[in-house]
Amino acid sequence: MKIHLKIVKNLKSKFYQRKGIQEEMKMMPNQQMDSQLSELSGRMAKLQLTRAERLQIRLANMKEQVSAKQQERSDKKKKKLAALANLMDLNDRDRLHEAELAKKRDSEPKSSGPETMEDDGFCTVSSKRKTKNRHTIRSTPERTTEADPDNADEPQTKRIRNDEEAGGDSIPDDTLVTLSEEQYKALSADLRRRKRRLQDFPALRLREMGQRALLETPQDARTPIFLSDIQNLLMSGMIGQKSPCRPDRWCSIEKWVSLSHSVVVILEGLSLYHYLSNESQFEASNKIFNTKLELMLPQQGEGMIIDEIAQIPLTSVQAKMLIDQHGSLESAVALNKDPTLFVRGIFPIEGRQEPGMELPQLHPDDKFPRTKLLLSALQMVDEGYPIPLQGELHSRFSSYKFTKKSYKPVTNRSPMYGVDCEMCRTVAGVNELTRISIVDEEYKTVYETLVMPDNRITDYLTQYSGITEDIMKQVTKQLKDVQKEVSALLPDDAILVGQSLNSDLNAMRMMHPYVIDTSVCFNISGVRRRKSKLKHLAMTFLKETIQENEYGHDSIEDSRATLKLVKMKLANSIEFGDEILTQHKRLQEIANACSGDSITNNLFAYSAKRDRRTAIVNVGGLQPRLKELIEKAEQVVPKDNSTAVLVHEVATTKEAVRKVTEIALENSLTIANLSIPEEDFLVDRAERSAAKIDKVIERLWNTVAHNGLFLVLMGGSTECSKGVAKIAIKRLNGTEQTSAPIGC
């Protein structure tokens, strides 16, 4: 009803409006009537516009308003970009100016003194910028002349804040350059490039094993990393993501492609004890490095650290030679490493293999040295073997016994013994030894006995152990008796063979340095951490069925099976039974078949493109072992190519530092081997020597380029075989990135 009333009212108003217009027209003169009619017709035309046309007009008006706002925002953005460009230009000029000032300061003669005399010949380049007040803005002459005389004594920063509160701008608009559209686009692209360059930097992040090795970790909970871990880090830095030796055990490298180069400084004769005793003297080093790790080193006299680091392929051409010789780089690494290097420094091994001394010939049944299948100290730690390594592992295995009071160096003729144990669960909540079997290489049982655990048995685990309550009723032999008998039975250089032998040695509560684990050297899954059961390995390779007894496993049968598997592998190749090494060898063969140049078509493509050689700067002459490695690398380099490995032998540490500053940017890997005399760290000279070494480290740090890896290795001494590894990656502003741990 209300709607109808509104319609009636509208009709009445329009009727009276038209009637009034007609009466006015009758009373108007003709000319005035014509003008009114034209005006009225225009008004009627506007009223007759469609709704769509009126909407279009409204949208056009809105677009005009929006375009005006967009233009205003665009102008503001250009002004801000111009101001940012000016600021970037000023920062770049400041950096250049500070570098020039630093060079002038270094070139000026210094006052004579004991400390300055030691530092002659060094070039100091500062990587720190002077602190500036971010709120301070350079005032223009016009601004200073127009300042309020009453506030002449007012600080500049306070006047700027007052101007901003009053609505004024800190930088007047007339000082900003108006950018054209082309300049705006070019400057925006340049800023994007700068941003990507700043964001695209490599980073080193520690995993759980790396965190355990940090010096800030309490000593009783600390587990050091090994020199092979450092080797893996350097190889990944040179080759990249496809490196066969990756440092994933203890760290991860993010954006490794962005690593510009690597500089390694080896300080032979400087130990963990020396560093911790004089840590306050390493002021610059402590600012540079946030990542400081305890490092396990070879036993003194076993060789220099640089000799061990040089075991990695120093160039892509040398790596190609290893591939041609061994089928794949993984096989080459496995055959060229010395698994007993660090074991000799952990276990009581008397005597050592002298450099150049010929090893005993291979066993008649072996095609490659059986010592290459031994677990290294690093592998023993990863696999959970009892090992007397100081720190957390030492406290865990403090009650364990050595299989021998002392050991002889292992050789290619050392005898192998298969070992297997059976366990039962006791009230202590752990599995304790109840049976042990040992067989020799002729598969004869040389030792077999039942053992009564120290604690009462709660579960005989018969389906696995074959042990029953009736069997154990007459057993009186205890674990300590077994330990004595096993120690008397085994030779000094015996190699123990078994499937996951770490559980057997833990049950025996004994430690042994020479171990071959079939769960490690055999792999049919293609995944290193996914282990195959002994039953499956025996069926696949030996074509034998084992562990089918309904009364449980037979430890003698299992011992013979592991020994047969190892002897079969030794009779074939190091890749035999290892699907991972086999796959790498197949891929290498395919790459070689596709092209004569394997470097172009395999994992060394990236390394070949950036192969700017390796440089070694050594104080004194090189060791014969290292010279031999370098000569082998040079033999495979084409005659028209430059030297693969540059060697610089210098007389003093000062000359070595100078040489590194000259050549560091020309090589993908630069190794500086510096020797620290023992007398430098006597009580009366230790602090002064530490401060001097700190300055050397700082100067070498200043030679590292942006995104460069800087590594300092303290190589231990005769008093302390433990070392320190300091790692840093340089950023654009000359500071080191912070290492953040990664959860396991």
Side-chain angles (χ1 to χ4, degrees), residues 44-253:
M44 294 297 292
K46 290 182 179 180
L47 291 174
Q48 292 176 358
L49 290 175
T50 63
R51 181 180 297 177
E53 292 173 342
R54 290 197 301 270
L55 184 60
Q56 289 179 357
I57 295 172
R58 187 179 300 174
L59 289 174
N61 295 333
M62 291 176 63
K63 286 182 179 180
E64 291 179 359
Q65 295 177 358
V66 171
S67 61
K69 291 181 179 179
Q70 288 179 342
Q71 184 64 33
E72 183 180 356
R73 284 197 296 267
S74 178
D75 293 340
K76 288 182 179 179
K77 189 182 295 185
K78 289 181 180 180
K79 289 179 180 180
K80 290 180 180 179
L81 201 60
L84 182 59
N86 291 333
L87 184 61
M88 290 164 49
D89 184 54
L90 289 174
N91 288 338
D92 293 340
R93 291 180 184 178
D94 287 345
R95 290 192 187 98
L96 295 175
H97 181 63
E98 289 176 4
E100 291 176 358
L101 290 178
K103 290 181 180 179
K104 289 181 180 179
R105 285 195 300 269
D106 293 338
S107 62
E108 291 177 358
K110 299 180 181 179
S111 59
S112 60
E115 294 186 0
T116 55
M117 290 292 289
E118 295 174 0
D119 296 332
D120 285 346
F122 293 116
C123 178
T124 302
V125 179
S126 174
S127 64
K128 300 272 185 181
R129 294 188 59 192
K130 296 180 180 179
T131 57
K132 295 182 180 180
N133 190 339
R134 296 184 178 180
H135 297 287
T136 303
I137 301 176
R138 299 175 182 176
S139 58
T140 59
E142 295 80 0
R143 197 173 175 84
T144 55
T145 56
E146 296 176 1
D148 188 357
D150 296 335
N151 298 331
D153 297 334
E154 188 177 18
Q156 179 69 13
T157 55
K158 184 176 180 180
R159 276 183 283 170
I160 292 172
R161 286 196 297 268
N162 292 338
D163 291 343
E164 292 176 352
E165 291 174 359
D169 294 328
S170 59
I171 301 178
D173 291 342
D174 55 358
T175 61
L176 298 178
V177 180
T178 303
L179 299 176
S180 64
E181 193 65 26
E182 291 77 10
Q183 291 174 333
Y184 173 74
K185 291 181 179 180
L187 189 55
S188 298
D190 183 50
L191 288 175
R192 284 195 296 271
R193 283 193 298 269
R194 283 179 178 244
K195 184 178 180 180
R196 282 196 299 268
R197 189 167 63 248
L198 290 174
Q199 291 179 344
D200 190 20
F201 51 77
L204 178 71
R205 303 192 182 277
L206 298 181
R207 297 184 185 272
E208 183 182 1
M209 294 303 296
Q211 296 177 55
R212 291 183 184 177
L214 287 171
L215 294 186
E216 60 192 47
T217 303
Q219 185 175 1
D220 57 350
R222 191 188 307 154
T223 302
I225 62 171
F226 291 79
L227 195 56
S228 55
D229 291 321
I230 302 298
Q231 293 173 332
N232 297 343
L233 175 64
L234 293 176
M235 185 178 287
S236 295
M238 292 185 66
I239 299 176
Q241 192 174 7
K242 295 183 179 180
S243 170
C245 301
R246 296 179 57 81
D248 296 338
R249 188 187 81 90
W250 66 282
C251 75
S252 63
I253 305 178

Side-chain angles (χ1 to χ4, degrees), residues 259-544:
L259 279 175
S260 56
H261 66 141
S262 301
V263 176
V264 181
V265 181
I266 302 172
L267 301 174
E268 295 276 3
L270 187 63
S271 67
L272 174 63
Y273 171 77
H274 293 146
Y275 173 72
L276 294 179
S277 301
N278 303 276
E279 188 173 6
S280 60
Q281 301 300 319
F282 291 90
E283 296 181 2
S285 300
N286 293 334
K287 293 179 182 178
I288 294 171
F289 298 99
N290 289 337
T291 305
K292 291 169 281 190
L293 311 168
E294 182 177 333
L295 180 64
M296 184 67 193
L297 296 168
Q299 192 176 9
Q300 286 294 315
E302 294 291 348
M304 303 174 69
I305 295 180
I306 190 172
D307 295 343
E308 304 307 323
I309 291 181
Q311 295 296 321
I312 66 174
L314 297 179
T315 64
S316 58
V317 179
Q318 185 181 1
K320 179 182 182 298
M321 177 193 68
L322 294 175
I323 290 174
D324 295 340
Q325 182 178 356
H326 302 289
S328 68
L329 186 61
E330 289 76 8
S331 302
V333 171
L335 286 171
N336 284 286
K337 70 179 181 179
D338 182 4
T340 66
L341 178 64
F342 293 96
V343 172
R344 293 195 292 266
I346 299 173
F347 286 85
I349 299 176
E350 296 180 353
R352 63 185 182 90
Q353 190 70 34
E354 296 292 339
M357 181 184 294
E358 293 186 2
L359 291 172
Q361 294 182 352
L362 295 178
H363 190 279
D365 298 333
D366 300 346
K367 287 190 176 180
F368 64 92
R370 58 181 55 184
T371 55
K372 300 304 179 181
L373 295 181
L374 293 174
L375 294 185
S376 65
L378 186 149
Q379 288 176 308
M380 294 177 76
V381 171
D382 285 349
E383 298 294 335
Y385 276 80
I387 183 171
L389 194 63
Q390 292 189 5
E392 188 265 339
L393 296 178
H394 178 74
S395 58
R396 187 193 306 175
F397 305 122
S398 58
S399 62
Y400 283 42
K401 306 291 184 181
F402 289 115
T403 52
K404 304 291 290 186
K405 291 183 178 180
S406 62
Y407 301 90
K408 292 181 180 179
V410 66
T411 67
N412 298 330
R413 293 278 185 147
S414 295
M416 297 188 299
Y417 292 86
V419 179
D420 188 67
C421 298
E422 305 297 344
M423 286 80 75
C424 295
R425 184 166 293 275
T426 66
V427 293
V430 295
N431 294 339
E432 296 190 35
L433 181 68
T434 51
R435 183 182 180 185
I436 176 174
S437 302
I438 302 178
V439 299
D440 61 11
E441 287 193 56
E442 303 297 327
Y443 310 122
K444 297 179 181 179
T445 303
V446 295
Y447 186 77
E448 204 275 332
T449 185
L450 295 171
V451 187
M452 177 59 68
D454 296 334
N455 300 293
R456 182 175 58 85
I457 298 176
T458 58
D459 188 351
Y460 287 90
L461 303 175
T462 305
Q463 68 273 26
Y464 303 110
S465 64
I467 304 297
T468 63
E469 184 178 1
D470 293 336
I471 294 177
M472 297 298 296
K473 283 182 179 180
Q474 304 299 324
V475 177
T476 59
K477 186 171 291 187
Q478 295 182 335
L479 178 62
K480 60 182 180 180
D481 301 322
V482 173
Q483 292 174 340
K484 292 179 182 179
E485 293 172 357
V486 170
S487 179
L489 171 70
L490 296 177
D492 297 337
D493 61 341
I495 299 175
L496 299 186
V497 178
Q499 173 79 4
S500 298
L501 197 56
N502 58 306
S503 60
D504 301 303
L505 289 173
N506 278 308
M508 297 164 61
R509 302 187 71 81
M510 302 188 79
M511 296 180 286
H512 191 78
Y514 311 131
V515 173
I516 297 177
D517 193 333
T518 52
S519 70
V520 175
C521 61
F522 280 85
N523 185 289
I524 59 178
S525 65
V527 180
R528 184 61 69 191
R529 288 291 181 181
R530 187 180 300 169
K531 298 183 178 181
S532 302
K533 294 182 179 180
L534 180 61
K535 180 178 180 179
H536 296 160
L537 294 177
M539 176 58 69
T540 303
F541 298 101
L542 304 177
K543 308 303 179 185
E544 294 182 4

Side-chain angles (χ1 to χ4, degrees), residues 630-666:
I630 295 174
E631 289 175 0
K632 289 181 179 180
E634 297 293 347
Q635 291 174 0
V636 296
V637 177
K639 294 182 179 180
D640 56 345
N641 282 22
S642 58
T643 307
V645 182
L646 296 175
V647 179
H648 303 275
E649 297 180 358
V650 296
T652 64
T653 299
K654 293 180 182 179
E655 295 180 11
V657 173
R658 288 197 193 99
K659 181 57 67 174
V660 172
T661 57
E662 293 174 3
I663 66 174
L665 299 180
E666 301 173 1

